[in-house]
Amino acid sequence: MQAITVRDRNAGLAGMSLTDMPYPHAAENDVIVRVHAAGFTPGELDWPATWTDRAGRDRTPSVPGHELSGVVVELGYGTTGLSVGQRVFGLADWTRNGTLAEYTAVEARNLAPLPADIDHTVAAALPISGLTAWQGLFDHGRLTTGQTVLIHGAAGGVGSIAVQLAREAGARVIGTGRAADRDGVLGLGADTFVDLQTEKLEDVGEVDVVFDVIGGDILDRSAALVRAGGTLVTIVLPPKVQPRDGRAVFFVVEPDRARLADLATRLRDGRLKPLVGAVRPLAEAPAAFAPGRRIPGKTIIRVTED
Ligand SMILES: NC(=O)c1ccc[n+]([C@@H]2O[C@H](COP(=O)([O-])OP(=O)(O)OC[C@H]3O[C@@H](n4cnc5c(N)ncnc54)[C@H](OP(=O)(O)O)[C@@H]3O)[C@@H](O)[C@H]2O)c1
């Protein structure tokens, strides 16, 4: 089968290519998915899990990409809950070969059924952004109706979903980003927008939850904005500055079949819209990884046509 691989940690992107790889092995409780559309995270060549398995052993050549939408073609020993021919979407394991491939082996529990009327290209944009936004706001941030949440990077993949989910939960939403993001973020349902380049972050006052996707100085300065009993949530790096009388949480997104199914329902109902940016074929994945100005939204790799 054809797959995108990376071979040499030191070479990084220069070592990424379209390669012939063996068809994957379905381990216990796995499914093999024929990948129709895949998502990746631009920074994943810096993740240790891209290069080593759970025991820290070299696992190159490895296949990047951890989001998929596709069709189940094989069940591993003991696998229940999914069937051959079923449309699915979800999150692939971090320390195994990923989704920039024609076929991939995934633990069945990491996937949810995909309704027939949701396009694979849209579904592949949802797993990381959708689950991260939900877990950050509600599991870690404990955001509830009537509270105020400050969402940094609100026009991005995670932030744009977070704005929509927080708004629907009845929270007051302050989104941040660059000047050009203002109309888009307000259009997603934010009550207020702060341009981080020209406006003073400290003017937003106290909030119950900060949801940060930017890190650095923006994250450090946000700790002081957390109201007593509130939470600073970040998905970039463990925070250096803690809220005076609140919690600080850094987390890595976890698979969750039930939540994926809920996100798919919201998508079908028109209550949630992931931002799909460029859609490119598998052979163009190395170019899509390259740094540079991107079309706003999640870049999706279309691996197989329907
Ligand atoms: N821990 C986890 O489980 C987890 C899960 C998902 C993602 N992540 C990480 O979270 C980060 C965000 O992911 P994403 O998919 O949402 O990325 P994204 O789509 O690039 O969104 C980031 C947004 O923040 C904006 N932004 C960044 N720096 C800014 C600044 N200094 N001032 C104003 N706006 C700024 C970006 O604007 P521009 O595009 O104009 O720069 C963009 O709109 C990435 O580092 C990703 O690796 C972690």
Side-chain angles (χ1 to χ4, degrees):
M1 67 163 189
Q2 297 260 284
I4 296 292
T5 58
V6 286
R7 295 177 174 276
D8 178 357
R9 197 170 186 160
N10 297 320
L13 195 53
M16 185 184 279
S17 61
L18 185 66
T19 325
D20 269 327
M21 286 282 281
Y23 181 83
H25 168 71
E28 217 167 277
N29 296 327
D30 272 355
V31 291
I32 303 291
V33 179
R34 175 138 177 84
V35 180
H36 284 240
F40 63 89
T41 303
E44 65 186 78
L45 300 195
D46 297 327
W47 301 347
T50 298
W51 306 100
T52 55
D53 65 15
R54 290 181 81 86
R57 288 176 300 235
D58 181 272
R59 68 179 189 88
T60 54
S62 75
V63 178
H66 295 281
E67 292 165 285
L68 68 82
S69 183
V71 175
V72 174
V73 293
E74 190 185 330
L75 304 182
Y77 181 72
T79 300
T80 57
L82 296 177
S83 53
V84 170
Q86 188 162 17
R87 300 174 95 236
V88 290
F89 76 118
L91 209 54
D93 303 321
W94 309 116
T95 50
R96 297 173 75 185
N97 277 343
T99 60
L100 295 179
E102 290 177 302
Y103 297 91
T104 191
V106 189
E107 287 188 70
R109 63 182 175 176
N110 294 357
L111 303 177
L114 179 68
D117 52 357
I118 299 180
D119 190 86
H120 288 297
T121 304
V122 177
L126 198 54
I128 289 184
S129 298
L131 290 176
T132 305
W134 182 279
Q135 290 165 13
L137 290 173
F138 304 114
D139 297 341
H140 301 291
R142 302 176 190 165
L143 183 70
T144 57
T145 308
Q147 290 191 329
T148 299
V149 59
L150 173 66
I151 299 173
H152 289 312
V158 177
S160 64
I161 302 268
V163 168
Q164 296 172 71
L165 293 175
R167 166 72 182 211
E168 193 173 0
R172 186 173 154 257
V173 180
I174 305 167
T176 78
R178 303 184 198 278
D181 300 331
R182 181 181 298 273
D183 290 348
V185 171
L186 293 174
L188 291 172
D191 297 276
T192 316
F193 180 82
V194 177
D195 170 358
L196 291 172
Q197 265 68 53
T198 61
E199 291 173 85
K200 201 158 165 241
L201 178 59
E202 285 67 19
D203 288 347
V204 303
E206 289 194 323
V207 300
D208 298 286
V209 178
V210 172
F211 189 172
D212 168 65
V213 310
I214 297 176
D217 174 60
I218 301 293
L219 171 62
D220 293 348
R221 286 163 56 201
S222 297
L225 304 176
V226 175
R227 184 171 287 150
T231 310
L232 174 69
V233 179
T234 179
I235 58 171
V236 182
L237 280 173
K240 289 190 292 209
V241 185
Q242 305 280 319
R244 212 174 321 112
D245 188 14
R247 297 179 309 127
V249 180
F250 163 74
F251 76 101
V252 175
V253 61
E254 291 181 50
D256 182 339
R257 178 185 282 177
R259 185 56 57 202
L260 278 177
D262 168 69
L263 293 169
T265 302
R266 289 166 190 258
L267 201 149
R268 279 178 92 187
D269 296 348
R271 293 183 285 146
L272 186 65
K273 204 171 175 317
L275 299 180
V276 176
V279 180
R280 306 181 72 164
L282 188 60
E284 291 181 15
F289 258 89
R293 204 66 211 155
R294 295 171 199 282
I295 297 175
K298 181 99 186 167
T299 300
I300 296 300
I301 302 300
R302 190 75 204 192
V303 181
T304 314
E305 290 307 319
D306 291 339

